[in-house]
Structure formats: C-alpha cells, structure tokens
Amino acid sequence: ALLDGHRVTGHRSKSTHPDVSERTLIAVKPDGVQRRLVGQIIQRFEQRGFKLVGLKMLQVSEDLLSQHYCQLRMKPFYPSLQQYMTSGPVVAMVWEGHNVVQTSRMMVGHTNPVEAQTGTVRGDFGIHVSRNVVHASDSLEGAKREIQLWFQGKELLNWDCCDQTITCE
Ligand code: ADP
C-alpha cells in the first residue's frame, strides 16, 4: 500500500487523520514583523509539532479588522487598535494539529504582556497590551470564523510529511 501512487502524491482525505484536523489562525502583528520576530514565532509552532497549512503577508484593511475584532468595535481602545493593526504588514498563518487552538493560546500567553508568563510569546517579547506581537484564535468557533475571514479555501494546503510517504525505488 505504501507504494500506491495515491499515497505518494499526498492527497489523502482529511478523514484519514480525524484527530489532527483542528486548525487555528495565528497572526504576527505589525510590531512583531517590524521587530523581526516572524521566524522565532514560526519556529515555536513548528517545534511544538504543529503543521503549517496557510501563510501570507498582508496589509490589513480597516474592513477586515472590524470584522475580525467585531466584538471589540465599541471598546474605547478600538481606534488605537485599528491604527496599530493597520500600521504595517501582518503575517497570517493557519496551523493544524491536535488541540491546536487551546495549545496556541497557552503558547501565546495572556493578552497583557505584563501578566504573560515567561516562555510564552507575549511573555518573552511583548512590550505593552497595545503592542502584544501576535494574535491567536481563542476558540474553535472563533478559529473557524477567522480562518474563513482571512484565507480563501484555495490558500490552505493539505500535505503529508515525507517520513510517512517515502518509498524505496
Ligand atoms: P487576545 O488578543 O488575547 O485574544 P482580546 O481579544 O481581548 O485579546 O483583544 C484583542 C487585542 O486588542 C489584544 O490582543 C490587544 O492587541 C488589543 N487590546 C486588548 N485590550 C486592550 C487595551 N486595554 N488597550 C489597548 N489594546 C488592547
């Protein structure tokens, strides 16, 4: 079966891996990009064993931001949040893996860097609640909504790891 061409081409259906189909949106915010933290943040998610299935750099529009933060639009800090999030490019990613939503929130840490534990992204790199380096979806429902908002279906790629598909010729 391992020599079966269908296996090698890597188009196995998601149902083959029902336990790892959970996905989340992680975005390196403009301060994270400007401070050259993109690589270190990606490295943490790779090292943790998660799978990158979508990645792009974009200038966030006010429209995308207001949909993304629809629950915060009435907050007094929203205008400054909008200014911050549109002040430069963002690197948006979709990561996949078992319990990736909850685990990512732990890896990213508390919203306010002063309360974020050392070892978390915000605990290690965050300066202030208004410059907290990274976004991570906070629930399964939130992740689904945000991924649909930020990515088109065709921008998300399914792939298999070479150590499972390698064959002897
Ligand atoms: P999280 O990003 O941890 O899910 P929230 O959804 O509560 O947190 O807030 C979204 C973002 O809004 C935060 O990551 C932060 O950038 C910004 N923010 C939240 N609270 C404040 C605040 N009091 N002042 C300035 N910015 C804030």
Side-chain angles (χ1 to χ4, degrees), residues 29 69 72 77 80-81 84 105 109-111 122 129-132 134-136 138:
K29 297 179 175 183
Y69 283 139
L72 300 180
F77 60 81
S80 66
L81 177 61
Y84 160 49
R105 291 289 291 186
H110 194 281
T111 305
R122 289 165 172 168
V129 68
S130 66
R131 298 288 183 276
N132 61 2
V134 71
H135 167 79
D138 69 357

Side-chain angles (χ1 to χ4, degrees), residues 14 21-25 101 137-151 156:
K14 248 207 250 175
S21 59
E22 185 173 314
R23 290 177 169 180
T24 197
L25 180 83
V101 173
S137 308
D138 69 357
S139 63
L140 273 175
E141 302 70 43
K144 281 203 185 91
R145 185 184 74 83
E146 291 171 7
I147 290 167
Q148 280 187 4
L149 189 59
W150 287 67
F151 283 85
L156 302 176

